[in-house]
Amino acid sequence: MARILVLGAGLAGLGTAMLLARDRHEVIVVERDSAGPPPPADTDAAWSGWQRRGVNQFRLPHFMLPRWWQEMREELPEVGGALQAVGSCQVNVLEMLPVERRGPLRPGDERFDTVTARRPVLEAVLSAAAEAAGVTIRRGIAVTGLTTDGRTRIPRVTGVLTADGTAIPADLVVDCGGRRSALGSWLQAAGARAPVEERSDSGFVYYGRHFRSRTGEQPAALTNLLHQYDSLSAITLPGDNGTWSVVLATASRDKALRGLREPARWHAAVARYPLVAHWADAEPITGVDVMAGIEDRYRRLVADGEPVATGVVAVGDAWASTNPSVGRGASMAMIQAGLLRDLLRETEPADHDKLARRFDEASTRVVEPLYRATLWGDRHRLAEMAADAAGTAYRTEDPRWPVSKALFAAGLADPDLARGYTSIAAFIATPDEVLGGAGVIDRVLALGMSAPQYPLPGATRGELLAAIA
Ligand SMILES: Cc1cc2nc3c(=O)[nH]c(=O)nc-3n(C[C@H](O)[C@H](O)[C@H](O)COP(=O)(O)OP(=O)(O)OC[C@H]3O[C@@H](n4cnc5c(N)ncnc54)[C@H](O)[C@@H]3O)c2cc1C
């Protein structure tokens, strides 16, 4: 069994650490933020008191997709129980749709189940579960570099260096340091070649607000969690203990909509969307939180067919992160953590070169397509929003975009297609899997291709601008 050092106690770090500790590896997590979580049952303290400067999005809306829940149920069932015990929200994202859209529930619809909570509550539960699983979490330790075997070109990482100059040795370092991870520069400082890196602004800005129910009830969901309108997307996310959040996502270039940062204008805008308005009719527990400048980022530790270093891998946002409005980050991290766990079952950590290559191969084969598909959707959506702002129709040579829009529209009228669309949104099926079903594409084209660009009721751009003027 190996001594594994996980850098970062975020959702990816804690999930990875637990999977590896279950396989009896000695797992140490080092986390820069010094404050630990309150007891998981004290959800109010986690929400309002826990300082986590290392995670910008700590108090921003999060929703755990059915895919994440599937991974948890199968791999870490104790987390599910612990989440349920603290008042997390248990929902079925298909059942949330109006019955006229989805028809009666069917056997198999339980694949749309999930359990979710506000991010601090999730992390407090995961942190306690990790410690119960034997993971050592050391907080208040900032990693500042790597120790290596001294070889240049392809150094082997032998541990990490911390801000106070201490070296912590490890058989394997797992970087879960998030989207701003400094791993690339640490590796280069150790003489390694630069990782392959792609980086660009995702182009979206989020205006989100959390609410608490006056009655303990969640608002009725009248459509899917994410809904597209002229110039913006609205996202309505159930949370734990009678809380939820509402997010308006726009193109960050759309200066005319920047007034959404002001609560009165934000509310005036939300009021113009009949499927969303009632979600904001409750007690706000935050202001309107704004997050922009989020980068799509991808880092690969194999360049030109060779690892840039061995003894180190990256999981979660440190490996790849995207625009978060589709809520896939935590699910992708758990999928990738599972690949690492499986690989360590068949490859000795001491077989450094093989481990580096095979983890890269597995991540590239299994997780990278999920990352690319997310980027694909984001690019089209952003271009569509730019066309909305310019008052033109969005045209693309890529036939998959109009088909994906048609699938949503067709799902408003056909319960099978509602399941197809919701499977993609829940991250439990890919568009190819859904559209490849017998007769599916024909039904999508027949029912959806002539639908309006934005089939749900809501403001036009002109009405939205007037509302927030
Ligand atoms: C606005 C927003 C909303 C999102 N909503 C969702 C959602 O609804 N659903 C979803 O699945 N995902 C969502 N995500 C993505 C999700 O937050 C991440 O994918 C997820 O947290 C996994 O991240 P991580 O653990 O890799 O990194 P992080 O959560 O960023 O954690 C990294 C950790 O590493 C620590 N660290 C960094 N550097 C060092 C160092 N040098 N030394 C020691 N510690 C260090 C940090 O302090 C931090 O604790 C959202 C992201 C954003 C930005």
Side-chain angles (χ1 to χ4, degrees), residues 8 11-12 31-32 52 54 57 61-63 119 143 177-178 317 324 327 329-330:
L11 297 180
E31 166 56 48
R32 181 170 47 198
R52 285 284 275 120
Q57 69 269 30
H62 275 69
F63 183 84
R119 164 86 192 234
V143 171
D317 283 9

Side-chain angles (χ1 to χ4, degrees), residues 248-439:
L248 300 180
T250 73
S252 43
R253 287 189 167 186
D254 197 342
K255 291 188 182 148
L257 297 182
R258 290 190 184 160
L260 288 169
R261 64 177 60 237
E262 289 172 31
R265 293 175 186 212
W266 186 93
H267 278 271
V270 169
R272 303 307 306 259
Y273 300 91
L275 307 185
V276 189
H278 61 295
W279 285 76
D281 181 18
E283 176 201 347
I285 53 172
T286 61
V288 174
D289 293 317
V290 183
M291 191 150 178
I294 299 175
E295 289 183 328
D296 295 320
R297 227 170 153 156
Y298 168 80
R299 299 183 188 90
R300 186 172 173 196
L301 300 184
V302 168
D304 301 325
E306 279 191 315
V308 298
T310 62
V312 63
V313 293
V315 170
D317 283 9
W319 179 76
S321 56
T322 60
N323 151 48
S325 52
V326 284
R328 294 178 171 177
S331 306
M332 277 176 42
M334 283 311 297
I335 295 168
Q336 203 188 9
L339 296 176
L340 180 61
R341 188 270 320 271
D342 293 349
L343 183 57
L344 283 167
R345 284 181 178 169
E346 57 189 52
T347 308
E348 281 297 318
D351 201 344
H352 304 290
D353 184 71
K354 185 174 173 193
L355 190 73
R357 287 176 192 274
R358 292 199 51 197
F359 186 62
D360 172 73
E361 184 276 320
S363 300
T364 308
R365 179 172 42 82
V366 179
V367 202
E368 187 174 331
L370 305 175
Y371 168 77
R372 300 276 167 216
T374 310
L375 245 55
W376 169 84
D378 287 352
R379 295 289 170 267
H380 280 295
R381 179 64 182 137
L382 213 53
E384 185 175 59
M385 284 175 160
D388 292 345
T392 57
Y394 177 50
R395 303 250 180 268
T396 168
E397 299 290 302
D398 178 353
R400 294 173 304 155
W401 178 251
V403 169
S404 77
K405 302 269 299 182
L407 173 60
F408 175 74
L412 297 174
D414 178 317
D416 290 336
L417 299 180
R419 282 168 176 73
Y421 179 86
T422 306
S423 309
I424 298 168
F427 212 31
I428 54 177
T430 64
D432 285 349
E433 285 164 354
V434 170
L435 295 168

Side-chain angles (χ1 to χ4, degrees), residues 6-16 29-34 52-65 68 116-117 119 122-123 138-145 161-162 175-183 186 206 235 237 247 290-292 294-295 315-334:
V6 176
L7 191 168
L11 297 180
L14 293 170
T16 306
V29 177
V30 290
E31 166 56 48
R32 181 170 47 198
D33 287 348
S34 50
R52 285 284 275 120
R53 308 186 107 194
V55 180
N56 280 344
Q57 69 269 30
F58 194 59
R59 287 197 172 74
L60 295 181
H62 275 69
F63 183 84
M64 296 298 105
L65 294 174
W68 181 85
T116 191
R119 164 86 192 234
L122 271 172
E123 246 193 60
R138 295 172 61 187
R139 296 184 189 271
I141 297 183
V143 171
T144 53
L161 283 170
T162 68
D175 178 21
C176 293
R179 48 181 69 222
R180 289 175 296 156
S181 159
L183 181 64
W186 295 337
Y206 306 90
I235 308 162
L237 301 176
V247 182
V290 183
M291 191 150 178
I294 299 175
E295 289 183 328
V315 170
D317 283 9
W319 179 76
S321 56
T322 60
N323 151 48
S325 52
V326 284
R328 294 178 171 177
S331 306
M332 277 176 42
M334 283 311 297

